[in-house]
Amino acid sequence: MSQGYLISLEGLDGVGKTTQLKRLQDWLEGDTREVLAVREPGGTPLGEALRQLVLHRVDASSALAEFLTFAAARAELMESVVLPALNRGAVVLMDRFIDSSVAYQAFGRGMDRATVMYINQVVTQGRMPDLTIWLRGEPFPTAEADHLEQRDREYFARVDAGYQWLAKEDAKRFVIIDSRQGEDTILQALQTHIESLMRLNKGGE
């Protein structure tokens, strides 16, 4: 069976993650490989219900409660959707993943980083992305946003610092792309990095 790939796109709302994820899906489906695109939180009935709750209805005063809500959605998504797809050899494209928790809850809201990373390890069953692309723009949302993206600039400066820390700590996994470029330019850069990942892994088989 061919190897599955887990590729995550990270960044603030409005940087174009959703647009590029769809374009990548269309591009990859030109191959015979199965391609699955999912978002966090979401991708399952439980995940979508929690998404509506935490992003649009209720603002958690507790950073831990907010994080555990996302973690519950992630656990359900991984066990019922993502891991089975990877075991089938699919390419799984994720709009946000574990790094969002570190950037938003640990750096943004001040949670203990080790706690966030440990719980992420548990709910993902240890499966890390093969490639993470950070679409980096201005360090604050520029588009119509949910209420989690309506916090002050100091908060988003901390989130941006969190992504910077992640990119430095796991430089082999992280790629940074300027989201202020044209959509086609961004797509070409994404394609280049994904092709490199797949070519590298084929060479090691």
Side-chain angles (χ1 to χ4, degrees), residues 40-41 46 50 64-78 101 105 116 119-120 122-124:
E40 280 211 336
L46 175 63
L50 291 174
L64 177 60
E66 181 179 278
F67 169 60
L68 291 176
T69 303
F70 288 125
R74 180 170 296 146
E76 178 79 354
L77 181 66
M78 288 299 292
S101 296
Q105 278 80 48
V116 171
I119 294 173
N120 272 338
V122 172
V123 301
T124 62

Side-chain angles (χ1 to χ4, degrees), residues 40-135:
E40 280 211 336
T44 66
L46 175 63
E48 292 296 331
L50 291 174
R51 181 185 186 88
Q52 289 300 314
L53 180 67
V54 76
L55 294 186
H56 302 296
R57 296 181 184 175
V58 179
D59 193 5
S61 59
S62 163
L64 177 60
E66 181 179 278
F67 169 60
L68 291 176
T69 303
F70 288 125
R74 180 170 296 146
E76 178 79 354
L77 181 66
M78 288 299 292
E79 187 165 330
S80 63
V81 177
V82 173
L83 292 176
L86 292 172
N87 289 336
R88 295 193 302 268
V91 178
V92 179
L93 304 171
M94 299 194 69
D95 184 345
R96 297 196 183 283
F97 192 38
I98 54 174
D99 301 296
S100 284
S101 296
V102 177
Y104 280 80
Q105 278 80 48
F107 279 81
R109 297 202 62 182
M111 270 194 69
D112 177 67
R113 189 166 63 226
T115 298
V116 171
M117 296 177 77
Y118 172 74
I119 294 173
N120 272 338
Q121 179 81 3
V122 172
V123 301
T124 62
Q125 301 180 40
R127 185 57 162 92
M128 294 290 289
D130 298 295
L131 175 67
T132 296
I133 297 156
W134 175 22
L135 294 178

Side-chain angles (χ1 to χ4, degrees), residues 13-31:
D13 276 5
V15 296
K17 297 187 309 300
T18 303
T19 297
Q20 293 298 338
L21 207 74
K22 181 63 172 68
R23 297 186 75 182
L24 284 176
Q25 183 179 16
D26 292 342
W27 169 63
L28 286 165
E29 284 176 344
D31 195 354

Side-chain angles (χ1 to χ4, degrees), residues 89-198:
V91 178
V92 179
L93 304 171
M94 299 194 69
D95 184 345
R96 297 196 183 283
F97 192 38
I98 54 174
D99 301 296
S100 284
S101 296
V102 177
Y104 280 80
Q105 278 80 48
F107 279 81
R109 297 202 62 182
M111 270 194 69
D112 177 67
R113 189 166 63 226
T115 298
V116 171
M117 296 177 77
Y118 172 74
I119 294 173
N120 272 338
Q121 179 81 3
V122 172
V123 301
T124 62
Q125 301 180 40
R127 185 57 162 92
M128 294 290 289
D130 298 295
L131 175 67
T132 296
I133 297 156
W134 175 22
L135 294 178
R136 188 185 188 195
E138 299 297 332
F140 52 88
T142 57
E144 188 73 21
D146 59 65
H147 71 240
L148 291 190
E149 296 283 357
Q150 294 172 352
R151 292 170 176 169
D152 61 35
R153 289 186 176 226
E154 289 76 15
Y155 168 80
F156 288 107
R158 295 193 299 271
V159 171
D160 188 73
Y163 278 124
Q164 291 182 58
W165 179 84
L166 286 159
K168 183 178 179 180
E169 285 293 302
D170 203 346
K172 290 184 178 180
R173 172 170 67 89
F174 254 82
V175 170
I176 304 173
I177 295 177
D178 187 346
S179 69
R180 294 166 293 189
Q181 303 175 91
E183 288 184 5
D184 290 344
T185 301
I186 294 172
L187 179 63
Q188 289 170 5
L190 294 171
Q191 290 170 333
T192 296
H193 288 294
I194 291 171
E195 286 172 339
S196 178
L197 168 70
M198 294 180 175

